[in-house]
């Protein structure tokens, strides 16, 4: 089984945890889990889905300090760009939640 690390474009070196390739069983399990999640949310009421979307935005927002550091290390993007992209993503999740709460998408 092979392993790899993230590459720092900033420092031109590998860093962090070693990752190993997924086994066939792990891939099958992930596909199965995704299938279950799809069916669990497919017919989820809009209000409940809106709450889920708000929760996703909150998780991203809470993880942003750690995510930003890793993104900066791996991509060498400036901090402003990383923050702008992250905030846009968070706004999108919240906007979709608002649309679901409002019911305007089914009119």
């Amino acid at each position: 089984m092979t392993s790899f690390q993230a590459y720092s474009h900033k420092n031109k070196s590998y860093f962090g945890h070693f990752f190993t390739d997924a086994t066939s069983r792990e891939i099958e399990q992930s596909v199965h889990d995704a299938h279950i999640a799809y069916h669990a949310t497919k017919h989820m009421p809009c209000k409940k889905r809106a709450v889920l979307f708000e929760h996703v935005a909150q998780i991203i927002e809470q993880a942003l300090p750690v995510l930003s550091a890793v993104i900066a290390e791996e991509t060498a993007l400036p901090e402003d760009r990383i923050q702008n992209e992250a905030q846009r993503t968070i706004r999108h999740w919240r906007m979709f939640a608002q649309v679901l709460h409002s019911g305007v998408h089914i009119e």
Side-chain angles (χ1 to χ4, degrees):
M1 189 174 300
T2 61
S3 65
F4 58 93
Q5 284 182 289
Y7 183 77
S8 170
H9 287 277
K10 186 191 280 186
N11 297 321
K12 308 290 186 226
S13 63
Y14 293 95
F15 75 99
H17 293 72
F18 280 89
F19 298 93
T20 57
D21 291 339
T23 64
S24 294
R25 177 70 186 119
E26 289 170 330
I27 293 169
E28 289 171 15
Q29 184 65 50
S30 294
V31 170
H32 174 75
D33 292 348
H35 180 79
I36 297 298
Y38 167 75
H39 286 288
T41 59
K42 181 178 178 181
H43 299 293
M44 182 182 282
C46 291
K47 299 290 184 191
K48 190 171 181 180
R49 190 174 295 179
V51 171
L52 173 65
F53 286 10
E54 290 166 347
H55 188 66
V56 169
Q58 183 180 25
I59 289 170
I60 295 169
E61 199 167 49
Q62 289 171 346
L64 198 50
V66 174
L67 286 173
S68 293
V70 173
I71 292 167
E73 189 70 33
E74 289 185 0
T75 65
L77 287 171
E79 184 64 26
D80 287 350
R81 167 91 184 270
I82 295 167
Q83 290 301 316
N84 288 338
E85 296 286 345
Q87 292 304 320
R88 182 180 66 181
T89 300
I90 292 165
R91 281 193 309 274
H92 283 169
W93 280 104
R94 289 193 171 129
M95 178 190 66
F96 293 138
Q98 289 173 347
V99 168
L100 289 169
H101 275 304
S102 73
V104 73
H105 66 289
I106 54 176
E107 290 179 0

